[in-house]
C-alpha cells in the first residue's frame, strides 16, 4: 500500500480518497454528458420554453450524476476495501459511519443545500419563463408582457398579428372525444384540425374541452395544459425557428385516447400568415356557423347527461365563462 | 394457524383480489369483439379505385346491444351487409365511399364537423347534390360523421327527418326506409393503421354521448388497415 493516503499515524483517509475519486469521476461524467448527450435531451429547442426545459433538465441531470456516482463509489469502495477477501479475519471491518459527526453533518448539509437549490431554481425557472409552458388556469400568474392585451382583443374580435409584429398570438385549443381542434380569433375565429404557429412569436394557448378532461401536450413546444370542460386553461410559449411537433392527449379520455394526436408545425411568419389567411377563406362558410369566440363553451345541448339533442333551438355550444377577473370592461 | 400459514393465506387473498380487480378493469376497458377486417385488396389492380359501401342506422336491432346506433358495411364479395366496421384497403388508392344514412340527427356539438375536409375536392354529395358545409342547426341536422383523423378526412352525414313515418328500426335497412345517400372519395395514402370514428356524440344515455356504441368497435368506429 505505498500509494495510499495516510495521516500522521499511518491510517488511511478513506473519506478523502473516496472524495477525490468522486470529484474526478463526477467532473469527467458531467463533461462527457454535456458534450455528447445534453443537446439531445427532450423536448428540444423549438420554443424558448422547450429550450429552457431542456436546460433545466440538463442542470438537474448534471446535478444528479454526482449524487449517483457518490452512492456507487461509496458502495464500490466499501465492497472492495472492506470486503471479506481483503479482511478475511474480521466480521465487520472499516470505519463506523454511525456516530461519525463529520459524515452525518456532511450528509445533512449537502442534501439540504441540494434540495434548497433545486427548489429555488425551480421557482426561478417557473417565474422567468411565464409558467414554463404549463397551464395556469384562467388567470395566469406569470403572463408575459402584452398577453392580457392580446387576450382581451381576441375576446372582442380585435386581435391583430402580422409578420414582424410583437403581438402575442392567442390560439384556442378545444378538446373533444377524440380530437383537438384549434381556433384562431386573430383570423376571424376559424376552427381547424391543424395547429400551425408562427416562428419567433409568443403564443397564448387557451385550452378547454367540450366533454371530458383531456390534456393538450405539445412536448416539443414545452407546453402541457389540461383541457377541462368550462375552464380556460392558459399556457404560454415563445416559438423560435420553424420546425414540426406532435400534439398528444395526455389524459386517458376513452377508447380513442391513443389516437388523439396530430402533427403541428412552427412556420416562418410569412408562411404562417399565408396559411392562416388561406384557411380563414377556405373555412369562412363554416366559421360563420360557429358560435362567437369565447374562452369556454357549454355543450349541454347535445348529448350531455344522456340527453341527445333535447332542443334543436339551443346554440350548439355557447360562451359560458369570461377570462376570469381579467374580463374586458 | 401458524405464522407461515397466516402469511400464505394473506398473500393468497391479496393475489386473488388483485386478479379480480385486473379482470374487472380489463372487462371494463375491452372495446368489444373485433369482427376482423373486410378485405378490399383481393384482386385489386394497382391504381384502380376501390368502392366501399356502408350504412348508418339508428339502432342495429339485434345482437348484444339491439338499441345501439351503428354502422354496417357491405361485403364487397357477397354483397351482404355485415356488422363490421374495419377494413383492409390498398395504399395510395382512391376510395369511393357510399354511405347510406338511415338515422335522424340534429345540431352538432361542434359545428367544425359540419365541414367536409380531406376528400377529393373537399366536397361530398347527398342524394346527388354537392355540399362542402352543412349548417347542422337547419333542416334535419347531422346524424353522424365519417372521419379519419389520420387522413384529415371528415364528412358530415346529413340526417333524415325524425318525423318520417318510414324510419328504419332494425338493420340492415333497405331502400324503402327514409335515407340519404352520401358519396365522397378520398385517397388512402401511406400504409398504416388509421382509426375512423363518428364525431357526433350519438351514444344515447352515455356520458356526453360518447360511451356505448361510440366506444365500441363495430358500432361507431373502426380501423382502416392500409397495406402496400
Amino acid at each position: 500500500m505505498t500509494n495510499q493516503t495516510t495521516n500522521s499515524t499511518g491510517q488511511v483517509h478513506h473519506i478523502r480518497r473516496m472524495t477525490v475519486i468522486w470529484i474526478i469521476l463526477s467532473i469527467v461524467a458531467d463533461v462527457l454528458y454535456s458534450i455528447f448527450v445534453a443537446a439531445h435531451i427532450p423536448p428540444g429547442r423549438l420554443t424558448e420554453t422547450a429550450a429552457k426545459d431542456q436546460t433545466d433538465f440538463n442542470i438537474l441531470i448534471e446535478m444528479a450524476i454526482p449524487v449517483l456516482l457518490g452512492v456507487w463509489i461509496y458502495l464500490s469502495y466499501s465492497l472492495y476495501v472492506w470486503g471479506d477477501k481483503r479482511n478475511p479475519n474480521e466480521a465487520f471491518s472499516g470505519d463506523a459511519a454511525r456516530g461519525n459527526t463529520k459524515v452525518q453533518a456532511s450528509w445533512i448539509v449537502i442534501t439540504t443545500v441540494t434540495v434548497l437549490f433545486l427548489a429555488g431554481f425551480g421557482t426561478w425557472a417557473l417565474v422567468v419563463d411565464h409558467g414554463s409552458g404549463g397551464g395556469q388556469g384562467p388567470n395566469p400568474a406569470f403572463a408575459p408582457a402584452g398577453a392580457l392585451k392580446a387576450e382581451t382583443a381576441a375576446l372582442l374580435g380585435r386581435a391583430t398579428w402580422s409578420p414582424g409584429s410583437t403581438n402575442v398570438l392567442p390560439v384556442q385549443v378545444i378538446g373533444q372525444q377524440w380530437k383537438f381542434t384549434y381556433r384562431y380569433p386573430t383570423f376571424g375565429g376559424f376552427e381547424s384540425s391543424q395547429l400551425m404557429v408562427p416562428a419567433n412569436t409568443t403564443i397564448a394557448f387557451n385550452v378547454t374541452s367540450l366533454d371530458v378532461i383531456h390534456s393538450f401536450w405539445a412536448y416539443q413546444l414545452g407546453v402541457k395544459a389540461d383541457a377541462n370542460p368550462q375552464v380556460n386553461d392558459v399556457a404560454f410559449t415563445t416559438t423560435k425557428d420553424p420546425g414540426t411537433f406532435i400534439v398528444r392527449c395526455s389524459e386517458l379520455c376513452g377508447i380513442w385516447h391513443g389516437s388523439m394526436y396530430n402533427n403541428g408545425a412552427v412556420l416562418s411568419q410569412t408562411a404562417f400568415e399565408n396559411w392562416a389567411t388561406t384557411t380563414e377563406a377556405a373555412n369562412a362558410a363554416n366559421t360563420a356557423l360557429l358560435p362567437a369566440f369565447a374562452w369556454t363553451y357549454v355543450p349541454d345541448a347535445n348529448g350531455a347527461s344522456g340527453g341527445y339533442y333535447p332542443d334543436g333551438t339551443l346554440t350548439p355550444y355557447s360562451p359560458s365563462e369570461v377570462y376570469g377577473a381579467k374580463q374586458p370592461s | 394457524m401458524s405464522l407461515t400459514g397466516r402469511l400464505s393465506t394473506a398473500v393468497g387473498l391479496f393475489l386473488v383480489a388483485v386478479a379480480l380487480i385486473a379482470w374487472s378493469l380489463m372487462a371494463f376497458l375491452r372495446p368489444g369483439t373485433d369482427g376482423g377486417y373486410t378485405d378490399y385488396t383481393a384482386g385489386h389492380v394497382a391504381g384502380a379505385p376501390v368502392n366501399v359501401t356502408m350504412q348508418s342506422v339508428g339502432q342495429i336491432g339485434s345482437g348484444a346491444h339491439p338499441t345501439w346506433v351503428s354502422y354496417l358495411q357491405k361485403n364487397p364479395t357477397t354483397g351482404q351487409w355485415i356488422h363490421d366496421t374495419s377494413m383492409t384497403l390498398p395504399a395510395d388508392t382512391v376510395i369511393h365511399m357510399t354511405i347510406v344514412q338511415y338515422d335522424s340527427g340534429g345540431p352538432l356539438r361542434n359545428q367544425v364537423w359540419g365541414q367536409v375536409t380531406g376528400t377529393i375536392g373537399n366536397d361530398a354529395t347527398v342524394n346527388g347534390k354537392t355540399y362542402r358545409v352543412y349548417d347542422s342547426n337547419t333542416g334535419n341536422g347531422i346524424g353522424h360523421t365519417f372521419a379519419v383523423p389520420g387522413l384529415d378526412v371528415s364528412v358530415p352525414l346529413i340526417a333524415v327527418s325524425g318525423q318520417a313515418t318510414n324510419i328504419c328500426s332494425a338493420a340492415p335497412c333497405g331502400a324503402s326506409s327514409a335515407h340519404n345517400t352520401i358519396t365522397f372519395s378520398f385517397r388512402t395514402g401511406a400504409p398504416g393503421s388509421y382509426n375512423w370514428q363518428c364525431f357526433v356524440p350519438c351514444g344515447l344515455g352515455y356520458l356526453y354521448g360518447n360511451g356505448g356504441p361510440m366506444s365500441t368497435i363495430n358500432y361507431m368506429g373502426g380501423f382502416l388497415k392500409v397495406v402496400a
Side-chain angles (χ1 to χ4, degrees):
Chain A
M1 293 284 185
T2 55
N3 57 349
Q4 287 183 340
T5 306
T6 58
N7 61 15
S8 58
T9 63
Q11 291 180 314
V12 177
H13 282 286
H14 295 292
I15 294 294
R16 188 178 301 168
R17 191 195 291 174
M18 278 190 277
T19 303
V20 170
I21 296 171
W22 172 68
I23 289 173
I24 293 171
L25 287 183
S26 294
I27 291 172
V28 171
D30 271 348
V31 169
L32 290 175
Y33 175 87
S34 299
I35 294 172
F36 295 109
V37 183
H40 305 290
I41 292 296
R45 307 186 80 78
L46 197 57
T47 65
E48 289 186 7
T49 310
K52 288 173 181 174
D53 285 352
Q54 188 190 65
T55 301
D56 296 346
F57 290 146
N58 284 332
I59 289 173
L60 294 178
I61 292 171
E62 297 217 24
M63 288 187 68
I65 286 172
V67 174
L68 178 69
L69 287 175
V71 173
W72 282 0
I73 289 167
Y74 187 87
L75 179 64
S76 302
Y77 187 94
S78 300
L79 287 173
Y80 178 74
V81 175
W82 296 303
D84 279 352
K85 287 185 178 178
R86 294 173 65 89
N87 305 276
N89 300 320
E90 294 184 45
F92 301 97
S93 59
D95 296 341
R98 185 186 296 274
N100 188 321
T101 308
K102 285 183 180 177
V103 170
Q104 292 175 354
S106 300
W107 175 255
I108 291 169
V109 170
I110 290 171
T111 53
T112 302
V113 169
T114 302
V115 169
L116 288 178
F117 170 79
L118 291 174
F121 176 74
T123 305
W124 173 81
L126 192 69
V127 174
V128 300
D129 196 23
H130 311 301
S132 292
Q136 301 181 58
N139 295 300
F142 309 115
L148 179 57
K149 180 183 176 185
E151 295 274 84
T152 303
L155 200 59
L156 297 174
R158 299 173 188 163
T160 60
W161 184 93
S162 58
S165 166
T166 58
N167 289 354
V168 172
L169 181 73
V171 176
Q172 185 169 51
V173 180
I174 302 173
Q176 60 236 284
Q177 291 173 309
W178 289 269
K179 186 113 176 75
F180 286 114
T181 52
Y182 308 94
R183 284 196 84 171
Y184 291 80
T186 313
F187 296 90
F190 76 79
E191 187 170 342
S192 170
S193 59
Q194 295 180 305
L195 176 57
M196 304 290 173
V197 291
N200 301 308
T201 301
T202 298
I203 313 293
F205 287 108
N206 295 264
V207 184
T208 189
S209 169
L210 296 182
D211 39 55
V212 298
I213 299 173
H214 303 277
S215 185
F216 171 71
W217 184 32
Y219 92 88
Q220 289 104 329
L221 299 184
V223 174
K224 191 167 187 284
D226 284 346
N228 295 308
Q230 298 185 56
V231 174
N232 180 35
D233 194 9
V234 185
F236 300 101
T237 192
T238 300
T239 56
K240 298 176 76 172
D241 297 328
T244 58
F245 57 88
I246 297 174
V247 174
R248 289 186 177 89
C249 178
S250 62
E251 184 71 41
L252 185 59
C253 60
I255 184 174
W256 297 120
H257 163 72
S259 300
M260 194 169 166
Y261 65 90
N262 61 270
N263 296 309
V266 178
L267 303 175
S268 70
Q269 293 193 344
T270 304
F272 171 77
E273 186 183 45
N274 289 338
W275 172 82
T277 53
T278 301
T279 308
E280 179 182 4
N283 291 9
N286 204 36
T287 303
L289 304 175
L290 296 173
F293 181 80
W295 298 127
T296 64
Y297 308 94
V298 177
D300 57 357
N302 305 307
S305 304
Y308 186 43
Y309 307 151
D311 186 348
T313 63
L314 291 177
T315 304
Y317 58 104
S318 54
S320 67
E321 193 170 297
V322 296
Y323 192 35
K326 296 176 180 177
Q327 182 190 15
S329 58
Chain B
M1 186 182 288
S2 66
L3 179 62
T4 306
R6 277 182 287 176
L7 273 176
S8 301
T9 304
V11 170
L13 288 174
F14 174 75
L15 290 176
V16 169
V18 168
L20 280 173
I21 292 170
W23 180 81
S24 302
L25 281 174
M26 292 306 293
F28 177 73
L29 293 173
R30 190 166 58 92
T33 303
D34 186 351
Y37 289 79
T38 302
D39 188 10
Y40 289 84
T41 62
H44 175 255
V45 178
V50 167
N51 296 312
V52 175
T53 304
M54 304 183 81
Q55 66 173 257
S56 55
V57 298
Q59 51 185 14
I60 190 71
S62 60
H65 306 287
T67 61
W68 280 10
V69 62
S70 185
Y71 272 91
L72 291 89
Q73 181 180 188
K74 182 177 278 188
N75 186 304
T77 305
T78 66
Q80 298 294 309
W81 288 105
I82 52 176
H83 192 202
D84 184 356
T85 57
S86 294
M87 56 195 82
T88 303
L89 298 170
D92 199 26
T93 298
V94 172
I95 309 298
H96 293 314
M97 291 288 298
T98 300
I99 301 178
V100 189
Q101 159 81 0
Y102 288 97
D103 201 6
S104 58
L108 287 165
R109 177 175 291 170
N110 186 347
Q111 172 63 32
V112 75
W113 308 119
Q115 181 169 349
V116 181
T117 64
T119 64
I120 295 174
N122 286 319
D123 59 23
T125 72
V126 54
N127 302 327
K129 186 178 178 182
T130 300
Y131 67 103
R132 291 171 180 268
V133 173
Y134 187 83
D135 183 353
S136 66
N137 286 294
T138 63
N140 298 325
I142 299 297
H144 305 285
T145 71
F146 178 89
V148 191
L151 298 175
D152 200 29
V153 171
S154 181
V155 178
L157 307 183
I158 298 170
V160 300
S161 170
Q163 306 303 316
T165 56
N166 57 339
I167 287 276
C168 179
S169 59
C173 303
S176 60
S177 297
H179 66 275
N180 286 325
T181 302
I182 290 96
T183 65
F184 57 92
S185 300
F186 68 95
R187 186 173 285 276
T188 51
S193 182
Y194 302 88
N195 71 291
W196 73 267
Q197 69 163 100
C198 170
F199 272 100
V200 174
C202 51
L204 181 62
Y206 291 90
L207 180 64
Y208 288 109
N210 281 319
M214 285 291 286
S215 293
T216 307
I217 299 294
N218 286 340
Y219 285 86
M220 298 313 291
F223 289 95
L224 308 183
K225 187 192 294 178
V226 177
V227 298

